[in-house]
Amino acid sequence: MKNNFYITTPIYYVNDRPHIGHAYTSVACDVLARFNRLCGKHVKFLTGTDEHGQKVEKSAAASGVKPQEFVDKVSQTFRDLADLMNISNDDFIRTTEPRHKKAAQALWQKMQANGHIYLGAYSGWYSVRDEAYYQESELVNGKAPTGAEVEWVEEPSYFFNLSQWGDKLLEFYEKNPNFIMPESRRNEIISFVKGGLKDLSISRTTFSWGIPIPVSQAGDEKHIMYVWLDALTNYLSALGYPDEGAVDYQDFWQNSYSMHMVGKDIIRFHAVYWPAFLMAADLPLPKRIFAHGWWTIEGEKMSKSLGNTVIPADLVAEFGLDQTRWFLMREVPFGNDGNFSRERMVAVINSELANNIGNLAQRTLSMVAKNCGGKVPNADGVEKDELDMSFLYNIYVTEANTPQDIENRYMNCKFNDIMADIVTIASEANNYIDSKAPWKQKKTDERLMNATLYHLLEGIRCIAIMIQPFIPDSAVKILDLLAVPANERGFSHLSYDFALKAGAELPPPEPVFPRFMEKTV
Ligand code: ME8
């Protein structure tokens, strides 16, 4: 249990072109997946695409192609996004795959066999954009609270008895205070559930692009599954469900720390509907739902009509992959809303990556190349002064910064704090060079210069290990420049026990983070 970690992104609708909102969630999950792997855990990281429903059917019709052809094409653009952003997902689920249809139908059957599904008729408001039902009282000026258009729907429908699950959900939230994070979302969900839940319509009959419900009586052939019941099941279908003996199901659902990362827009589906469906099917619940905030662009809502969508490929082409990943995770505390500004992006990547971490590596490695014959210098025999001691104390895992502290901060998604601390260590290392002035020590006592450079290389080694979840390619580049063995790059190697060996040959130094210069016309 302790060693299995399951992390999922939402499965993205294939009606839209991938933008930084999608990249954001996927990179955040990637950070957690990579961190846990670097701690030696057994990780499964799932992403994918949500391909059914009226919204997708309409988008396909608007493009003049058959839905299947349409979803095949758009799903690929999300796979490309994962490649582009260096996302280390272990699987990519599509809801049009047979393994998923089988799982969704099996979940339905289980809920039905347990007596939680009944046939009725739905009449009420539906928003195709949100793929959600709204009560009359929720509408604002005739629109959904999200601003989406709603339409009146009347059709035969199967219902899930959601109204029966309110107390059980509240009890579960109470017993598992970290199930919904951050706290503000947890409070929002608790008050929503306390307000009373209505039974949920879970089948549609007025269009056909979806998974047919299992037929148990005449007339069922007309019903397709509500797209959210279909979509949420993806988290199980990728694990081999309904085969509860499947290795992945056992490792990552039955016996794992499982976490769904979502945007705040879809917290209700994940924190209310999904646990209720699972309880109704006697299945275990995930351990955590983390809802992050929303990005605006230069202060405006990102939208097709405003034409201000930020495309990840454009950012990567202009600023670089790791620069983009760094900025996305660094700019706002995870959970809060954020604003994307080009000016901020340039400022952050220049000050933190180029001028700080990059400069530290470049200065140190070129001094080592020039003055130590390109080998790790020897610090032995030089007594450490106070400056050395406080510098070294900060870079290693210590009683003030234990592996458990580090893990807690990651699992609570404190990404920008973690990154701020790394930046502080790099700044301190740059100050340490300036205070020690190894170029002066060279003239007075070379042994002192060697010791300073050795400590700096150790600082860079630890920083490079720590940045791996966020900017893996650059981290590898630095670790390679330090000739750190491939099996000594985990979080357990952040200690003096794995320090660089004096005399080890280093490759010629190379800059890691170029400074970004605006092109002048
Ligand atoms: O909701 N800022 O898919 P979707 C931050 N298919 N994150 C954003 C964002 C923004 N401006 N825009 C999008 C769906 N996102 C369903 C999910 S899961 C079983 C089914 C991210 O394509 C954020 O993670 O609309 C949000 O929750 C998700 O994309 C919505 O993706």
Side-chain angles (χ1 to χ4, degrees):
M1 160 79 135
K2 211 165 177 294
N3 277 321
N4 295 336
F5 177 62
Y6 183 39
I7 175 82
T8 66
T9 72
I11 48 170
Y12 304 113
Y13 283 128
V14 290
N15 68 313
D16 207 0
R17 200 176 159 199
H19 55 63
I20 60 159
H22 308 115
Y24 184 56
T25 320
S26 293
V27 171
C29 293
D30 190 52
V31 167
L32 288 174
R34 288 178 187 271
F35 168 73
N36 279 283
R37 290 193 199 102
L38 287 164
C39 292
K41 299 221 175 134
H42 183 35
V43 173
K44 179 148 175 133
F45 172 14
L46 177 70
T47 185
T49 42
D50 187 352
E51 306 188 3
H52 290 129
Q54 222 170 341
K55 172 152 82 174
V56 170
E57 191 182 63
K58 281 191 171 171
S59 299
S63 316
V65 291
K66 294 236 162 59
Q68 189 62 52
E69 196 182 321
F70 178 78
V71 301
D72 287 346
K73 201 163 135 228
V74 187
S75 177
Q76 184 58 43
T77 64
F78 281 93
R79 274 187 205 265
D80 296 344
L81 174 75
D83 287 346
L84 173 81
M85 298 307 298
N86 198 8
I87 302 300
S88 63
N89 55 301
D90 302 289
D91 197 351
F92 187 100
I93 185 91
R94 298 183 54 189
T95 55
T96 47
E97 285 177 73
R99 61 173 172 159
H100 173 73
K101 288 188 187 172
K102 189 168 134 195
Q105 289 176 332
L107 184 69
W108 175 289
Q109 265 164 338
K110 191 75 197 289
M111 286 160 54
Q112 194 168 36
N114 285 350
H116 303 301
I117 291 180
Y118 63 92
L119 185 60
Y122 179 78
S123 60
W125 297 103
Y126 190 78
S127 156
V128 175
R129 195 183 84 187
D130 299 346
E131 295 284 16
Y133 301 92
Y134 289 106
Q135 289 164 36
E136 181 88 34
S137 59
E138 289 180 284
L139 302 188
V140 182
N141 300 327
K143 290 193 175 174
T146 57
E149 299 290 336
V150 289
E151 56 189 52
W152 185 258
V153 175
E154 276 186 30
E155 54 186 334
S157 173
Y158 275 97
F159 284 82
F160 169 64
N161 64 354
L162 184 64
S163 60
Q164 307 300 305
W165 294 94
D167 288 345
K168 290 192 190 74
L169 285 167
L170 290 170
E171 191 186 313
F172 181 79
Y173 305 147
E174 183 71 27
K175 280 202 187 127
N176 299 277
N178 295 324
F179 176 64
I180 305 168
M181 287 190 74
E183 175 100 24
S184 54
R185 300 287 156 226
R186 172 181 150 83
N187 295 339
E188 174 189 313
I189 290 296
I190 290 178
S191 67
F192 172 72
V193 175
K194 281 191 174 156
L197 297 172
K198 290 225 166 7
D199 287 352
L200 181 70
S201 160
I202 51 164
S203 76
R204 305 284 316 265
T205 43
T206 45
F207 68 99
S208 60
W209 184 239
I211 299 180
I213 68 159
V215 174
S216 59
Q217 63 184 53
D220 284 356
E221 308 78 16
K222 289 200 308 265
H223 292 253
I224 57 151
M225 214 176 277
Y226 172 40
V227 66
W228 270 102
L229 172 53
D230 161 349
L232 287 160
T233 315
N234 89 87
Y235 302 129
L236 293 179
S237 29
L239 301 179
Y241 181 84
D243 176 4
E244 292 186 32
V247 174
D248 270 4
Y249 181 85
Q250 281 298 322
D251 284 357
F252 296 110
W253 200 256
Q254 201 74 42
N255 299 299
S256 99
Y257 192 93
S258 47
M259 175 162 171
H260 301 314
M261 179 77 80
V262 297
K264 66 176 186 182
D265 55 325
I266 54 174
I267 182 75
R268 194 182 288 185
F269 300 96
H270 284 81
V272 181
Y273 298 175
W274 182 227
F277 294 157
L278 290 166
M279 288 195 244
D282 302 322
L283 294 173
L285 270 49
K287 299 287 182 296
R288 181 166 295 180
I289 313 288
F290 197 105
H292 64 65
W294 212 243
W295 281 91
T296 50
I297 309 301
E298 311 284 352
E300 303 242 35
K301 191 170 176 233
M302 181 163 42
S303 81
K304 273 189 211 160
S305 51
L306 288 174
N308 64 352
T309 309
V310 177
I311 302 301
D314 296 343
L315 291 183
V316 171
E318 187 171 11
F319 299 102
L321 166 66
D322 279 350
Q323 284 78 358
T324 305
R325 287 177 59 112
W326 182 272
F327 179 72
L328 288 178
M329 292 298 104
R330 177 73 177 101
E331 182 62 353
V332 272
F334 205 69
N336 293 9
D337 291 338
N339 178 45
F340 179 87
S341 125
R342 202 192 137 81
E343 203 186 318
R344 281 286 308 151
M345 174 142 183
V346 172
V348 169
I349 65 179
N350 276 343
S351 72
E352 298 189 343
L353 296 181
N355 299 348
N356 196 352
I357 302 177
N359 190 35
L360 168 69
Q362 183 62 17
R363 292 165 94 179
T364 310
L365 287 165
S366 52
M367 275 205 81
V368 170
K370 257 199 233 132
N371 301 297
C372 313
K375 291 191 177 131
V376 174
N378 197 335
D380 291 349
V382 177
E383 205 174 317
K384 295 184 191 68
D385 64 15
E386 219 168 280
L387 212 55
D388 300 320
M389 295 298 277
S390 75
F391 175 67
L392 293 171
Y393 184 79
N394 279 336
I395 62 174
Y396 295 127
V397 165
T398 56
E399 46 312 340
N401 184 31
T402 64
Q404 194 54 51
D405 295 334
I406 298 177
E407 181 172 338
N408 290 345
R409 290 173 91 199
Y410 269 95
M411 298 310 267
N412 291 329
C413 303
K414 300 278 180 209
F415 305 133
N416 102 321
D417 286 352
I418 298 169
M419 296 166 97
D421 283 356
I422 299 174
V423 170
T424 304
I425 295 175
S427 304
E428 281 165 4
N430 275 311
N431 293 340
Y432 175 78
I433 306 192
D434 296 337
S435 317
K436 286 274 168 173
W439 48 90
K440 283 191 191 149
Q441 291 176 318
K442 183 185 171 187
K443 292 184 193 138
T444 51
D445 183 348
E446 250 188 44
R447 287 175 323 139
L448 292 178
M449 172 196 75
N450 285 339
T452 301
L453 292 177
Y454 181 81
H455 297 150
L456 283 163
L457 289 180
E458 269 298 281
I460 299 167
R461 180 180 72 89
C462 292
I463 290 171
I465 289 179
M466 291 189 268
I467 58 178
Q468 286 176 103
F470 301 102
I471 46 175
D473 285 354
S474 308
V476 163
K477 213 164 153 184
I478 301 174
L479 290 165
D480 286 348
L481 289 172
L482 296 173
V484 174
N487 59 353
E488 291 185 9
R489 296 179 174 194
F491 274 73
S492 61
H493 303 111
L494 283 174
S495 86
Y496 187 71
D497 298 345
F498 298 92
L500 295 167
K501 307 270 176 311
E505 197 93 41
L506 299 179
E510 267 177 41
V512 183
F513 301 111
R515 192 176 158 76
F516 180 83
M517 307 281 247
E518 288 287 5
K519 287 188 190 69
T520 43
V521 182

